[in-house]
Amino acid sequence: MIQEQLEDIHGLLRAGRYTDALQEVERSLLADPQNWNLLQFGGFACRGLEHFPRALEFYAKALDVTTMDDDRAAVLQNRGVVYQLMGKYESAVSDLDESLRLRPWHVNARNSLALTYGKMEKYEASRVEYEATLEYI
């Protein structure tokens, strides 16, 4: 049953129906409050709605309940993007670096880190990360 709910929520997110996705996440979390996928989807929905502080709450809870490195790397990458969108670049770099420590081949995290460095006007660091991204694609 939870797999069907996750697929439905994922479809809502892909369709840009963030409010509907968030409602489904909240309803599903009542039955399974420790599901890191649901918590991550809540973060996605809030990010799409530009409710960044709430997205950070979802991602923090997801990190609290998952111990798998690949899962943690994905959550950290997504939280890093939210920090970047908020202009909290140092926090973004911290999360993205940690994501890459856990999963060095994570192209989205590396690309997000390059973009963040660019926004910080650290152009050489940005170039290095973009070039490193090419090694994994």
Side-chain angles (χ1 to χ4, degrees):
M1 176 107 167
I2 190 68
Q3 189 59 39
E4 279 182 31
Q5 290 170 316
L6 290 171
E7 289 173 12
D8 290 345
I9 294 166
H10 191 240
L12 292 169
L13 290 168
R14 282 195 326 261
R17 295 176 52 195
Y18 303 118
T19 300
D20 294 335
L22 183 56
Q23 289 172 346
E24 287 300 311
V25 165
E26 289 171 336
R27 191 169 50 81
S28 298
L29 282 171
L30 294 174
D32 192 0
Q34 301 296 308
N35 187 301
W36 83 272
N37 279 307
L38 286 171
L39 293 164
Q40 173 137 282
F41 281 170
F44 288 150
C46 288
R47 184 172 86 188
L49 293 167
E50 297 185 8
H51 297 160
F52 300 135
R54 182 112 188 270
L56 293 176
E57 290 174 16
F58 274 110
Y59 291 134
K61 288 178 185 174
L63 288 169
D64 286 344
V65 300
T66 188
T67 57
M68 301 285 295
D69 282 354
D70 279 354
D71 298 343
R72 292 182 65 76
V75 175
L76 286 162
Q77 186 269 327
N78 287 304
R79 189 172 73 173
V81 169
V82 170
Y83 279 131
Q84 183 221 83
L85 292 169
M86 296 173 74
K88 296 183 176 189
Y89 301 129
E90 295 299 331
S91 295
V93 167
S94 177
D95 274 3
L96 296 166
D97 276 341
E98 180 64 11
S99 176
L100 289 166
R101 186 188 69 73
L102 295 170
R103 192 165 65 173
W105 61 90
H106 194 294
V107 173
N108 290 339
R110 197 161 299 282
N111 189 57
S112 296
L113 183 58
L115 183 60
T116 302
Y117 280 139
K119 289 182 178 285
M120 297 170 76
E121 299 182 358
K122 294 183 176 184
Y123 301 118
E124 180 59 22
S126 179
R127 183 189 61 76
V128 167
E129 292 303 328
Y130 278 126
E131 287 178 359
T133 300
L134 296 175
E135 293 177 26
Y136 296 103
I137 56 173

